[in-house]
């Protein structure tokens, strides 16, 4: 090229560069500026500065060595292009620039310097960064707001869900839904109907949708979502859908909760039981709700506009409130507005107040007092919310009273109650329990507190019991001893209930503890008494179950006390007696009093071996805490029974013996009588006569006396003969003298002997022996009996009647008899009965009456073991009856 | 010195009757002697002479063992008629029985003054009559 041309072209280049709309600088090989564009000056803020001819590095001292190396590379032919790089300026600002640095050639292979084309992209860069930030924020927001996007390509029938949509559906990120499966997530019913309707609509008309519906996630959770959809149309045909999808469950729920809370608040405000009264900041009532009207009996119109307090409050309480509040806030009560203070401190006061109703009655209310502020935070009034707690108050009082009663009852019954939290090992005792254990109240308690009092000998048992209880989750009644600090030993009984959580784990034990020392002592005493009783004792309850037995009862029945406890008492009763026993038992409990059992009856028990034991039972009621029990004292009367039997036998033998003795005595008495009267009398006569005989003065007198002697001696002889005969009767009574005799033949013989008298008197004698014709008897006696009885009947006949005699034999009630009846004079048996059969007894002034016949008859009858009796009526007749043995 | 007492013997024994009468006569104790063979005969006589003091006996020697009505039966009847009698009658029970049953029974009857075992001696008889005589004189 031409030099001038070069120069000119250099000038042109300078002009071109100077006027270029972008930042361009032309530098020589020493990096000195040849030309710069206006833009360069404005971009690098070099207005007014002389830069042409100055070194680039002088202008930009901040340029580092790395750039300088790059510039040298470019001066050797390299091209350095950078799309963006921060350029830290000397003043500390960062300028984002792009550049294009390349050499310019003087000739084909001669480099004249560098051309720098830069751009300030700081603004673009910042905008770009802002956009990225915005996108990031949006993403974050989407995440936080749980918003995702979705698309449907209707041509390919493909559905795309964003990560969040997948998450909301609780499916994996790579889940590939179809249109149908996507719709199936919508809850059946209203939600699914809605989504199907809007989808059809959007595809038909392009109408976008925005719905709030419920879906059921893959994991089965039911949640609220918001789905927004738009259609994509090509040539009026829907080719795709896209939209956003948001999880609005929480919002929905809180919306529901809020609406519920609103409704509740509304309900509270309108409720009958909560009084809401508001005042302005001057204390003038400006609202008085239905509850307040109901509570206080004033209507809203009556009260609005009045100043509170003072209408329905008690003066003293208001003063007390003022005082309390001033104390609380450390203010002088005289110049102190507690409400203002509450407002300032943003606090509220809750306390019980007594309100006075319009009708003057008082009620207890719980009041919450708070300030009302406007949006600017200025006090505009006060809110007073009151609820009637009269009933609660009464219930509290009642509870308190009941608690006192319980305490009282616990003291009386020496019962305490306790709770043991097995998780925290905290133990709570009722105050009486402290007393039972003699422990200072308010002592901190754990299980070990209790356990430390357990009697050393009972510790193992208690530990076993508690372990068992915790394992089996039931607490059988526990009776054990405790030893107090002062050494006192008490017996306590624990009852408890085990409380478990939902998982069935034991969390707490609650129960009672009773000091049963006295009962225990009483029981021991009772036991002692029971054991010392000489009889077997069986104690039975009303249901007939054996309660306890003593050692004697164990011995008697062969069971141990343990075996019988709880068994029905019928186990001790033989089968034959069981039937009526329960009935008898009911009777006893209906009228419990001490009595002997089965009076007059022989009672038996049955032992373990099934042996019957004769027993005697005495029952007594036993009033106990468990109700009326019956104590049965049982005595084994086996030996008595045997003794009784022996005595009975001995008695029978004695009776027989005594009968024999009586009969012997009677006979002896007969002979005493005979000796006294029948033998002594004639002997005494003989003596008297002998006396006279000796004194007789004449032979005539002696002859006369001698005749008397003869009479006496004859009489004596007869008596002696009779006696001898009687004695012979007794002696003759042996088996050998018995023979079978027909009554009829004896009757015939008797009539033959008495034929003279029969003919003389014209007597009618009849007989009938058909029922009992013959008997084994001593023949001579039977003939004598017949002769005496028939003879007597003839001898003592009535003077006014022809004698009629009837002799008969028969069997009556198994006894054989012989009867002789007559119609004679009869005997006054009332007067003479006792001596009818005596020797020499006569009852008639009959010349032949000697009193021998019936005496001998009786002897003969008795000798055969029979008896003779008579029935008679004076002047009617007599019947003699012989009962044979 | 014969007494004026009416003596009555009630006994079925002929020989006893004979000896008693003979003794009373021989001892010259009384002339007025009545004899009955059993209680009923004696009772009938007394019923016939309830107010005839002159005929009623002062003393009765009563046997136990007699037919029809014995000594004890007679006493039962006598107790019944006694309030109607105008006269005090002394009764001795005279029997050959030494049976304590008889003796006790007689002693229990207050109307019987004494029980005498046969044979009655002369001294006993004299004593009884003398005593009655003297008390009667008072």
């Amino acid at each position: 090229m031409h030099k001038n041309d070069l120069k000119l072209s250099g000038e042109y280049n300078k002009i071109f560069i100077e006027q270029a709309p972008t930042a361009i600088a032309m530098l020589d090989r020493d990096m000195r500026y040849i030309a710069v564009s206006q833009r360069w000056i404005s971009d690098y803020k070099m207005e007014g500065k002389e830069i042409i001819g100055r070194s680039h590095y002088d202008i930009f001292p901040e340029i580092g060595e790395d750039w300088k190396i790059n510039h040298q590379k470019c001066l050797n032919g390299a091209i350095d292009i950078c799309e963006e790089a921060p350029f830290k300026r000397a003043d500390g600002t960062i300028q984002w620039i792009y550049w294009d640095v390349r050499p310019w050639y003087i000739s084909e292979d001669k480099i004249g310097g560098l051309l720098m084309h830069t751009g300030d992209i700081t603004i673009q860069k910042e905008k770009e960064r802002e956009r990225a930030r915005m996108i990031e924020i949006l993403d974050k927001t989407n995440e936080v707001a749980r918003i995702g996007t979705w698309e449907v390509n209707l041509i390919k029938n493909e559905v795309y869900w964003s990560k969040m949509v997948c998450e909301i559906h609780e499916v994996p990120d790579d889940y590939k839904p179809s249109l149908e499966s996507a719709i199936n997530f919508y809850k059946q019913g209203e939600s699914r109907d809605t989504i199907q309707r809007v989808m059809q609509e959007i595809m038909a008309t392009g109408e976008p949708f925005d719905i709030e519906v419920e879906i059921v996630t893959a994991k089965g959770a039911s949640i609220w979502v918001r789905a927004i959809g738009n259609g994509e149309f090509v040539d009026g045909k829907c080719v795709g859908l896209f939209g956003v999808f948001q999880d609005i469950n929480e919002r929905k729920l809180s919306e529901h909760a809020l609406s519920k809370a609103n409704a509740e608040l509304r309900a509270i405000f309108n409720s009958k039981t909560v009084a809401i009264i508001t005042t302005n900041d001057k204390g003038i009532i400006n609202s008085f709700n239905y509850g307040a009207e109901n509570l206080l009996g004033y209507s809203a119109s009556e009260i609005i506009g009045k100043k509170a307090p003072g209408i329905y409050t008690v003066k003293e309480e208001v003063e007390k409130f003022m005082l309390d509040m001033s104390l609380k806030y450390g203010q002088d009560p005289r110049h102190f507005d507690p409400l203002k203070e509450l407002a300032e401190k943003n606090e509220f006061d809750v306390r019980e107040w007594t309100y006075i109703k319009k009708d003057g009655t008082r009620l207890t209310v719980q009041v919450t007092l708070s300030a009302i502020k406007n949006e600017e935070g200025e006090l505009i009034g006060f809110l007073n919310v009151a609820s009637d707690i009269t009933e609660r108050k009464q219930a509290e009082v009642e509870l308190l009273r009941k608690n006192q009663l319980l305490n009282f009852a616990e003291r009386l019954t020496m019962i305490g109650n306790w709770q043991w939290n097995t998780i925290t090992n905290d133990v709570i005792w009722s105050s009486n329990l402290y007393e039972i254990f003699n422990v200072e109240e308010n002592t901190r308690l754990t299980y070990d507190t209790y356990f430390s009092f357990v009697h050393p000998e009972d510790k193992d048992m208690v530990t076993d019991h508690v372990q068992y209880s915790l394992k089996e989750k039931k607490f059988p009644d526990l009776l054990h001893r405790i030893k107090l600090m002062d050494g006192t030993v008490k017996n306590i009984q624990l009852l408890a209930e085990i409380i478990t959580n939902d998982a069935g784990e034991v969390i707490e034990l609650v129960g009672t503890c009773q000091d049963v020392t006295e009962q225990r002592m009483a029981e021991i005493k009772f036991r002692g008494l029971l054991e010392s009783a000489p009889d077997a004792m069986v104690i039975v309850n009303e249901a007939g179950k054996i309660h306890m037995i003593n050692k004697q009862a164990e011995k008697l029945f062969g069971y141990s006390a343990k075996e019988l406890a709880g068994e029905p008492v019928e186990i001790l009763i033989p089968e034959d007696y069981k039937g009526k026993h329960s009935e008898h038992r009911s009777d006893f409990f209906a009228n419990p009093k001490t009595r002997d059992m089965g009076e007059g009856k022989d009672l038996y028990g049955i032992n373990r071996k099934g042996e019957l034991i004769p027993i005697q039972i005495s029952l007594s009621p036993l009033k106990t805490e468990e109700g009326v029990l019956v104590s049965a004292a049982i005595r084994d009367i086996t030996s008595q029974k045997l003794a009784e039997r022996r005595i009975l036998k001995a008695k029978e033998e004695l009776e027989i013996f005594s009968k024999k003795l009586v009969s012997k005595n009677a006979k002896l008495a007969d002979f005493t009588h005979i000796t006294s009267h029948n033998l002594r009398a004639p002997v005494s006569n003989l003596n008297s006569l002998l006396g006279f005989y000796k004194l007789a003065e004449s032979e005539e007198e002696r002859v006369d006396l001698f005749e008397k002697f003869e009479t006496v001696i004859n009489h004596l002889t007869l008596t002696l003969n009779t006696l001898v005969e009687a004695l012979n009767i007794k002696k003759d009574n042996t088996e050998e003298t018995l023979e079978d005799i027909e009554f009829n033949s004896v009757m015939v013989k008797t009539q033959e002997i008495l034929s003279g008298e029969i003919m003389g008197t014209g007597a009618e004698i009849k007989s009938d022996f058909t029922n009992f014709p013959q008997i084994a008897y001593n023949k001579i006696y039977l003939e004598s009996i017949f002769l005496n009885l028939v003879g007597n009947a003839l001898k003592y006949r009535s003077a006014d009647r022809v004698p009629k005699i009837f002799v008969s034999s028969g069997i009556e009630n198994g006894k054989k008899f012989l009867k002789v009846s007559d119609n004679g004079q009869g005997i006054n048996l009332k007067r003479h009965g006792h001596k009818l059969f005596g020797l020499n007894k006569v009852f008639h002034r009959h010349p032949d009456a000697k009193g021998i016949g019936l005496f001998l008859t009786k002897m003969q009858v008795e000798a055969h073991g029979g008896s003779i009796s008579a029935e008679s009526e004076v002047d009617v007749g007599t019947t003699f009856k012989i009962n044979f043995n | 010195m014969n007494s004026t007492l009416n003596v009555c013997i009630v006994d079925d024994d002929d020989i006893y009757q004979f000896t008693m009468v003979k003794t009373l006569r021989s001892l010259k104790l009384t002339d007025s002697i009545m004899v009955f063979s059993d209680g009923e005969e004696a009772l009938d006589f007394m019923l016939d002479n309830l107010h005839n003091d002159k005929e009623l006996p002062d003393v009765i020697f009563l046997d136990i063992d007699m037919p029809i009505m014995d000594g004890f039966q007679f006493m039962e009847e006598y107790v019944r008629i006694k309030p109607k009698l105008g006269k005090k009658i002394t009764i001795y029970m005279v029997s050959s029985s030494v049976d304590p049953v008889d003796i006790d029974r007689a002693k229990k009857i207050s109307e019987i003054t004494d029980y005498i075992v046969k044979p009655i001696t002369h001294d006993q008889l004299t004593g009884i009559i003398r005593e009655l005589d003297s008390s009667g004189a008072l």
Side-chain angles (χ1 to χ4, degrees):
Chain A
M1 260 207 207
H2 214 274
K3 199 173 179 169
N4 276 355
D5 289 346
L6 270 173
K7 203 177 175 186
L8 188 68
S9 91
E11 281 304 313
Y12 283 143
N13 282 341
K14 259 176 80 179
I15 292 162
F16 168 75
I17 288 167
E18 280 166 8
Q19 293 179 3
T22 56
I24 293 176
M26 190 176 178
L27 295 116
D28 62 16
R29 287 190 64 95
D30 299 323
M31 293 300 285
R32 274 189 295 265
Y33 284 101
I34 295 166
V36 291
S37 69
Q38 281 303 308
R39 186 62 183 263
W40 182 278
I41 292 166
S42 68
D43 272 3
Y44 297 108
K45 300 181 176 64
M46 292 181 175
E47 291 91 346
K49 280 186 183 172
E50 185 58 48
I51 56 168
I52 302 299
R54 290 183 67 186
S55 164
H56 180 59
Y57 300 135
D58 290 346
I59 303 285
F60 296 100
E62 56 266 52
I63 289 174
E65 283 306 311
D66 49 339
W67 283 22
K68 286 179 182 169
I69 291 167
N70 281 341
H71 291 160
Q72 280 308 309
K73 284 180 185 163
C74 290
L75 284 173
N76 287 323
I79 295 169
D80 177 20
I81 295 171
C82 174
E83 280 182 1
E84 60 174 60
F87 177 35
K88 199 172 176 197
R89 296 299 305 275
D91 63 359
T93 58
I94 298 282
Q95 209 169 7
W96 283 88
I97 54 171
Y98 67 89
W99 67 77
D100 185 334
V101 179
R102 60 180 71 209
W104 58 271
Y105 291 86
I106 296 166
S107 61
E108 241 169 75
D109 50 0
K110 196 174 176 204
I111 290 168
L114 294 179
L115 266 178
M116 283 187 184
H117 176 216
T118 69
D120 184 347
I121 53 164
T122 307
I123 291 165
Q124 289 98 304
K125 189 75 192 164
E126 274 173 2
K127 276 195 178 144
E128 196 177 285
R129 276 175 57 190
E130 195 163 332
R131 214 184 76 236
R133 211 162 49 240
M134 287 297 285
I135 288 168
E136 200 183 335
I137 289 168
L138 192 66
D139 280 349
K140 279 263 157 40
T141 310
N142 282 354
E143 204 175 303
V144 171
R146 295 177 69 74
I147 296 175
T149 58
W150 57 274
E151 279 173 44
V152 181
N153 185 331
L154 288 169
I155 311 287
K156 292 185 185 165
N157 195 24
E158 268 177 12
V159 178
Y160 161 77
W161 278 359
S162 76
K163 203 176 143 192
M164 180 52 68
V165 176
C166 290
E167 206 178 303
I168 293 170
H169 282 85
E170 296 193 295
V171 291
D173 292 352
D174 56 0
Y175 181 76
K176 291 264 176 280
S178 68
L179 191 58
E180 196 191 346
S181 71
I183 284 174
N184 280 341
F185 277 99
Y186 290 81
K187 199 171 190 172
Q188 241 176 344
E190 205 187 323
S191 293
R192 194 173 297 171
D193 294 348
T194 305
I195 190 73
Q196 279 167 341
R197 182 170 47 75
V198 296
M199 292 290 269
Q200 273 168 13
E201 234 171 61
I202 200 169
M203 283 188 271
T205 66
E207 183 71 39
F209 62 82
D210 182 351
I211 52 169
E212 287 179 6
V213 284
E214 278 180 286
I215 61 161
V216 178
T217 68
K219 289 184 181 167
S222 178
I223 58 167
W224 281 93
V225 294
R226 181 179 179 185
I228 298 172
N230 283 292
E232 201 183 339
F233 285 79
V234 173
D235 299 333
K237 189 175 175 254
C238 188
V239 293
L241 304 168
F242 62 94
V244 294
F245 195 80
Q246 185 183 9
D247 175 359
I248 55 162
N249 198 45
E250 268 176 43
R251 200 199 79 207
K252 206 71 185 168
L253 289 181
S254 58
E255 243 176 52
H256 278 148
L258 193 66
S259 103
K260 198 166 155 237
N262 262 330
E264 280 168 359
L265 269 175
R266 215 165 32 246
I268 289 169
F269 191 78
N270 294 326
S271 86
K272 223 171 139 176
T273 51
V274 179
I276 300 171
I277 303 164
T278 58
T279 65
N280 64 14
D281 58 340
K282 305 280 182 300
I284 304 298
I285 296 168
N286 52 22
S287 115
F288 195 77
N289 81 337
Y290 176 58
E293 289 183 325
N294 184 57
L295 197 71
L296 292 167
Y298 292 100
S299 72
S301 56
E302 274 180 289
I303 216 100
I304 287 173
K306 298 254 170 52
K307 188 166 166 40
I311 302 164
Y312 43 78
T313 46
V314 178
K315 203 179 153 208
E316 291 76 23
E317 282 186 0
V318 174
E319 282 167 3
K320 187 167 184 299
F321 170 68
M322 302 280 236
L323 197 68
D324 281 355
M325 296 302 280
S326 62
L327 281 173
K328 184 178 170 189
Y329 295 110
Q331 304 276 346
D332 181 353
R334 281 166 300 180
H335 317 284
F336 174 65
D337 186 343
L339 294 179
K340 289 241 166 67
E341 192 73 27
L342 280 179
E344 257 169 49
K345 294 266 178 1
N346 256 337
E347 286 179 358
F348 54 89
D349 180 71
V350 180
R351 67 176 61 209
E352 283 171 19
W353 291 81
T354 303
Y355 274 9
I356 304 162
K357 289 176 74 158
K358 191 181 180 183
D359 64 8
T361 55
R362 287 173 177 234
L363 66 155
T364 311
V365 289
Q366 187 171 52
V367 177
T368 306
L369 261 177
S370 52
I372 311 172
K373 292 178 182 179
N374 65 13
E375 281 166 15
E376 280 76 45
E378 294 160 336
L379 177 67
I380 56 163
F382 297 98
L383 175 68
N384 170 341
V385 181
S387 55
D388 183 357
I389 57 162
T390 309
E391 273 180 34
R392 200 181 84 198
K393 199 71 190 163
Q394 278 168 355
E396 263 173 30
V397 169
E398 179 80 350
L399 194 67
L400 215 65
R401 205 174 56 79
K402 286 220 167 116
N403 217 22
Q404 275 170 350
L405 277 177
L406 180 67
N407 277 338
F408 186 56
E410 284 196 348
R411 268 214 301 285
L412 267 184
T413 52
M414 295 198 280
I415 291 184
N417 63 68
W418 52 270
Q419 296 168 41
W420 172 31
N421 184 325
T422 51
I423 309 288
T424 62
N425 194 23
D426 280 334
V427 170
I428 302 171
W429 282 1
S430 71
S431 55
N432 201 46
L433 200 51
Y434 284 97
E435 233 159 86
I436 291 171
F437 278 78
N438 198 15
V439 171
E440 192 100 352
E441 215 167 318
N442 302 325
T443 308
R444 203 186 112 70
L445 302 167
T446 63
Y447 174 76
D448 293 331
T449 320
Y450 151 76
F451 194 70
S452 67
F453 287 104
V454 175
H455 193 281
E457 289 169 27
D458 290 352
K459 277 190 194 291
D460 287 347
M461 184 215 6
V462 168
T463 303
D464 287 350
H465 190 92
V466 170
Q467 275 170 359
Y468 169 86
S469 304
L470 293 176
K471 192 169 153 236
E472 298 297 321
K473 301 187 182 76
K474 60 181 179 201
F475 193 97
D477 298 358
L478 173 63
L479 187 75
H480 70 82
R481 291 166 296 170
I482 52 171
K483 196 169 181 181
L484 305 189
M485 305 273 216
D486 61 3
T488 313
V489 173
K490 286 182 176 179
N491 283 282
I492 59 168
Q493 185 173 32
L494 294 174
L495 306 177
E497 204 47 55
I498 292 192
I499 295 172
T500 56
N501 60 13
D502 294 341
E505 295 154 348
V506 177
I507 53 167
E508 196 174 18
L509 271 75
V510 294
T512 58
C513 166
Q514 186 173 20
D515 179 356
V516 293
T517 311
E518 273 178 42
Q519 283 101 307
R520 193 82 188 125
M521 295 311 282
E523 202 186 308
I524 289 167
K525 229 184 272 177
F526 176 69
R527 259 265 148 220
L529 273 177
L530 199 66
E531 290 305 346
S532 66
D535 294 330
M537 303 289 291
V538 175
I539 296 181
V540 176
N541 67 13
E542 199 160 345
K545 295 275 191 297
I546 295 171
H547 207 75
M548 56 166 77
I549 66 168
N550 67 356
K551 279 271 174 294
Q552 283 82 340
E554 287 185 340
K555 227 190 287 171
L556 180 61
F557 290 107
Y559 293 97
S560 75
K562 219 172 180 183
E563 285 175 299
L564 284 184
E567 289 294 321
V569 70
E570 278 78 12
I571 198 172
L572 305 177
I573 300 173
E575 206 58 54
D576 295 351
Y577 296 80
K578 268 181 199 168
K580 287 215 152 181
H581 186 259
S582 65
E583 198 179 307
H584 288 152
R585 195 177 59 238
S586 305
D587 289 352
F588 179 84
F589 280 108
N591 182 21
K593 56 178 185 215
T594 302
R595 65 167 173 85
D596 288 336
M597 190 165 143
E599 274 159 276
K601 274 179 271 173
D602 287 343
L603 295 177
Y604 291 91
I606 187 161
N607 69 9
R608 182 178 212 145
K609 290 182 193 158
E611 294 163 345
L612 295 186
I613 313 161
I615 50 175
Q616 191 180 308
I617 303 178
S618 161
L619 300 173
S620 348
L622 199 67
K623 285 196 180 101
T624 71
E625 282 176 5
E626 292 120 295
V628 177
L629 302 177
V630 54
S631 99
I634 302 165
R635 189 165 291 180
D636 179 356
I637 53 166
T638 308
S639 52
Q640 275 109 306
K641 257 315 204 230
L642 285 175
E644 195 176 282
R645 231 170 273 157
R646 275 202 297 271
I647 287 168
L648 271 177
K649 201 163 169 237
K651 186 180 153 250
E652 270 165 32
E653 284 167 358
L654 271 176
E655 267 170 7
I656 292 165
F657 190 62
S658 130
K659 251 184 219 162
K660 275 184 190 160
L661 268 182
V662 166
S663 109
K664 281 238 166 85
N665 270 342
K667 276 169 195 159
L668 276 175
D670 283 347
F671 279 96
T672 310
H673 195 84
I674 289 162
T675 319
S676 286
H677 295 274
N678 306 86
L679 296 176
R680 279 204 80 251
V683 172
S684 118
N685 280 342
L686 286 177
N687 282 328
S688 302
L689 289 172
L690 198 60
F692 289 128
Y693 190 80
K694 280 177 182 164
L695 296 171
E697 286 157 4
S698 65
E699 191 57 26
E700 197 185 341
E701 202 184 341
R702 280 194 195 103
V703 171
D704 197 17
L705 280 168
F706 211 82
E707 277 173 17
K708 304 272 184 222
F709 271 120
E710 213 179 329
T711 309
V712 176
I713 288 160
N714 284 342
H715 185 67
L716 196 55
T717 309
L718 179 66
T719 302
L720 284 171
N721 283 342
T722 309
L723 281 174
V724 169
E725 204 176 319
L727 287 169
N728 281 338
I729 288 166
K730 287 169 190 184
K731 207 170 69 186
D732 289 348
N733 182 24
T734 57
E735 292 287 325
E736 291 133 42
T737 57
L738 297 181
E739 51 186 305
D740 284 334
I741 309 156
E742 288 197 354
F743 287 116
N744 204 38
S745 67
V746 182
M747 189 66 216
V748 170
K749 194 169 181 186
T750 305
Q751 276 170 292
E752 278 171 9
I753 295 166
L754 297 171
S755 57
E757 280 91 347
I758 293 168
M759 280 198 286
T761 57
E764 278 178 35
I765 298 179
K766 285 183 181 168
S767 60
D768 178 5
F769 305 112
T770 49
N771 288 330
F772 173 42
Q774 65 174 42
I775 188 169
Y777 222 75
N778 182 311
K779 192 178 180 182
I780 296 161
Y781 294 173
L782 197 61
E783 284 171 0
S784 163
I785 289 163
F786 266 71
L787 194 59
N788 267 313
L789 295 180
V790 179
N792 277 348
L794 288 168
K795 201 190 280 177
Y796 303 111
R797 67 185 176 270
S798 165
D800 309 328
R801 297 184 287 273
V802 173
K804 284 184 178 170
I805 300 165
F806 181 63
V807 184
S808 64
S809 68
I811 301 172
E812 202 176 70
N813 298 327
K815 285 187 172 170
K816 296 161 184 167
F817 67 86
L818 178 74
K819 264 190 210 172
V820 178
S821 308
D822 65 43
N823 60 347
Q825 298 170 10
I827 311 158
N828 183 346
L829 289 176
K830 225 172 154 187
R831 185 178 276 185
H832 304 297
H834 64 286
K835 53 188 182 187
L836 186 60
F837 301 99
L839 178 61
N840 287 2
K841 302 293 181 189
V842 290
F843 316 101
H844 304 89
R845 296 196 187 90
H846 189 280
D848 295 332
K850 290 191 180 70
I852 291 170
L854 283 176
F855 170 73
L856 285 175
T857 300
K858 183 171 178 262
M859 289 289 173
Q860 288 159 346
V861 170
E862 286 178 353
H864 280 271
S867 64
I868 183 165
S869 60
E871 283 173 25
S872 184
E873 198 174 327
V874 174
D875 213 26
V876 173
T878 305
T879 298
F880 283 95
K881 185 177 179 187
I882 293 167
N883 276 312
F884 298 106
N885 188 10
Chain B
M1 141 182 168
N2 270 4
S3 166
T4 56
L5 291 171
N6 287 334
V7 175
C8 174
I9 296 159
V10 185
D11 202 313
D12 63 325
D13 188 338
D14 300 345
I15 305 302
Y16 172 75
Q17 287 173 11
F18 169 79
T19 55
M20 271 297 278
V21 172
K22 196 166 170 67
T23 308
L24 285 167
R25 293 236 169 94
S26 64
L27 294 173
K28 298 187 174 21
L29 289 172
T30 183
D31 288 331
S32 173
I33 301 167
M34 288 170 276
V35 177
F36 302 102
S37 290
D38 63 66
E40 194 174 273
E41 284 180 7
L43 193 68
D44 288 347
F45 173 81
M46 287 168 77
L47 286 170
D48 289 344
N49 298 281
L50 274 177
H51 305 294
N52 194 348
D53 287 0
K54 214 174 165 189
E55 290 299 321
L56 283 173
D58 292 288
V59 61
I60 300 173
F61 294 101
L62 181 68
D63 183 23
I64 293 174
D65 216 12
M66 292 177 289
I68 317 298
M69 182 187 278
D70 66 18
F72 290 114
Q73 286 165 350
F74 172 83
M75 284 311 297
E76 282 170 32
E77 297 301 321
Y78 171 79
V79 169
R80 244 173 259 164
I81 62 161
K82 191 188 165 193
K84 298 177 193 164
L85 291 167
K87 194 170 179 178
K88 182 183 183 287
I89 300 170
T90 305
I91 301 172
Y92 285 92
M93 193 153 250
V94 186
S95 171
S96 57
S97 173
V98 288
D99 191 338
V101 175
D102 288 335
I103 298 169
D104 282 352
R105 193 173 166 194
K107 293 242 160 112
K108 276 182 185 148
I109 301 168
S110 58
E111 282 74 16
I112 292 170
T113 304
D114 205 355
Y115 183 95
I116 299 162
V117 179
K118 285 179 186 175
I120 187 166
T121 63
H122 292 187
D123 292 347
Q124 271 177 312
L125 206 49
T126 310
I128 287 164
I129 301 299
R130 289 271 156 80
E131 197 184 329
L132 280 171
D133 213 18
S134 61
S135 66
L138 279 168

